[in-house]
Amino acid sequence: MGRSPCCAKVGLNRGAWTAQEDRILVDYIRAHGEGGWRNLPKKAGLKRCGKSCRLRWLNYLRPDIKRGNITADEEELIIRLHNLLGNRWSLIAGRLPGRTDNEIKNYWNTIVSKKVKHQPKPSKETKLTKSKVIAMSRPATQVVRTKALKCSRVLFLNPPQARPQVMQQQQHHQADTDPATQTNAMPVVKSKNADGKVPCLSGGEDHLATDFDFSEIDLSEFLNSDLSDKFRCFDGCNYGSYNNTSLTSNSTSEQAMMFSEEMVQSWNLGGCAQDQANVGSNVQSLSPLLDCNKGEWLASGVI
DNA sequence: AAAGAATTCAACCGCAATTCA
DNA sequence: CTGAATTGCGGTTGAATTCTT
């Protein structure tokens, strides 16, 4: 016996939604909340398939939908995320508040893919960030992952130990409460190999930042390679605590984002320009890959 | 101004993943 | 544990709109 259809399609409206249908759907969801899509049309009095109602709500009627053109910053982020994640539109949309997966998918298919296709390879003189170079110089078809993979462990870069000059700045600004100028305590995250045999990506415990060249890591390639399975990630409960953020295996993706962003800010206080660029690029590249679902992490390419 | 071509994007479809009984 | 029901996702379609000739 095959799967039963999501709804009886006979007698249902199809095609573009009318203003009246929109109003009925919005009113119903305001009163009863989201979910129960299968029975929603009958209860709300709509001659629509439940799936259609869900799609209409998520892609168009939701109050937090952002209207207007995609900005240049958003486009850059889309390109970078697509380079890392492939056509996983919902994950990409999750990093662009107010944008829907459908919108981003359409935008990519109509605008960005053409731009990337016709993008000339950057010359040595062209000043581009590492992420831009990665995004623009690779074919869009390199990463093809149609579904997120669930993993039980997560790859995480071992942050460098605090540099002396950063520690001084940090003490200097300790009483500063202005968020625009506030500096944060350096994160101290120790790698811990469970059996001591599997190498940690950072190169081992107490590895100094100066000994570790972030520029040698191409995170997206790493995550998509067989190597990713051979490296051990942090297996302790606590990946690090920092300011008010503690990153654990139970952290939400928002906390992971905040954590990585704070680390970038903090690292950017010290080190040479190249260090800052490399660290920022790698950590920011990593954060979109992190997602949390009931304590289990999702990461592209790491199983 | 009109016709055809090209583009855009909302909506649909089928399948996979997840939840539920 | 199993199978059905439900939800979510990405690919595709086609009507509406815009552009070009």
Side-chain angles (χ1 to χ4, degrees), chain A residues 213-225:
Chain A
D213 184 2
F214 278 89
S215 66
E216 287 179 2
I217 296 179
D218 185 324
L219 205 59
S220 57
E221 283 187 2
F222 175 82
L223 288 172
N224 286 303
S225 73

Side-chain angles (χ1 to χ4, degrees), chain A residues 140-189:
Chain A
T141 53
Q142 188 183 18
V143 179
V144 181
R145 287 181 191 280
T146 57
K147 295 286 178 187
L149 300 170
K150 183 171 274 191
C151 65
S152 57
R153 58 181 188 270
V154 65
L155 171 72
F156 208 82
L157 296 176
N158 194 24
Q161 301 298 305
R163 294 187 176 103
Q165 70 270 29
V166 176
M167 297 297 273
Q168 282 165 15
Q169 288 181 43
Q170 177 189 315
Q171 283 160 11
H172 181 71
H173 290 286
Q174 214 155 18
D176 191 351
T177 52
D178 178 7
T181 55
Q182 190 175 15
T183 58
N184 302 305
M186 283 295 290
V188 178
V189 181

Side-chain angles (χ1 to χ4, degrees), chain A residues 25-37 40 57:
Chain A
L25 181 57
V26 169
D27 288 347
Y28 182 87
I29 291 175
R30 274 185 189 149
H32 302 92
E34 288 184 47
W37 298 109
L40 185 150
W57 173 255

Side-chain angles (χ1 to χ4, degrees), chain A residues 166 170 182-187 242-243 262-263 265-266 269:
Chain A
V166 176
Q170 177 189 315
Q182 190 175 15
T183 58
N184 302 305
M186 283 295 290
Y242 176 48
N243 208 13
E262 285 178 350
M263 282 198 292
Q265 282 176 15
S266 182
L269 293 173

Side-chain angles (χ1 to χ4, degrees), chain A residues 175-295:
Chain A
D176 191 351
T177 52
D178 178 7
T181 55
Q182 190 175 15
T183 58
N184 302 305
M186 283 295 290
V188 178
V189 181
K190 296 223 175 191
S191 65
K192 235 184 187 179
N193 291 350
D195 49 18
K197 290 176 186 172
V198 186
C200 173
L201 184 60
S202 69
E205 277 192 8
D206 297 326
H207 216 71
L208 295 174
T210 49
D211 297 336
F212 184 63
D213 184 2
F214 278 89
S215 66
E216 287 179 2
I217 296 179
D218 185 324
L219 205 59
S220 57
E221 283 187 2
F222 175 82
L223 288 172
N224 286 303
S225 73
D226 292 334
L227 275 177
S228 65
D229 206 35
K230 295 185 172 60
F231 283 88
R232 193 57 158 260
C233 313
F234 302 98
D235 58 343
C237 295
N238 202 0
Y239 295 106
S241 60
Y242 176 48
N243 208 13
N244 292 324
T245 310
S246 184
L247 191 64
T248 74
S249 57
N250 291 320
S251 296
T252 65
S253 54
E254 284 71 26
Q255 286 169 328
M257 276 290 281
M258 194 191 303
F259 186 78
S260 59
E261 281 166 7
E262 285 178 350
M263 282 198 292
V264 171
Q265 282 176 15
S266 182
W267 275 330
N268 282 354
L269 293 173
C272 66
Q274 187 60 50
D275 279 345
Q276 292 171 12
N278 290 335
V279 171
S281 164
N282 277 293
V283 177
Q284 285 176 342
S285 295
L286 176 64
S287 58
L289 298 175
L290 300 179
D291 215 327
C292 196
N293 181 21
K294 293 185 178 174

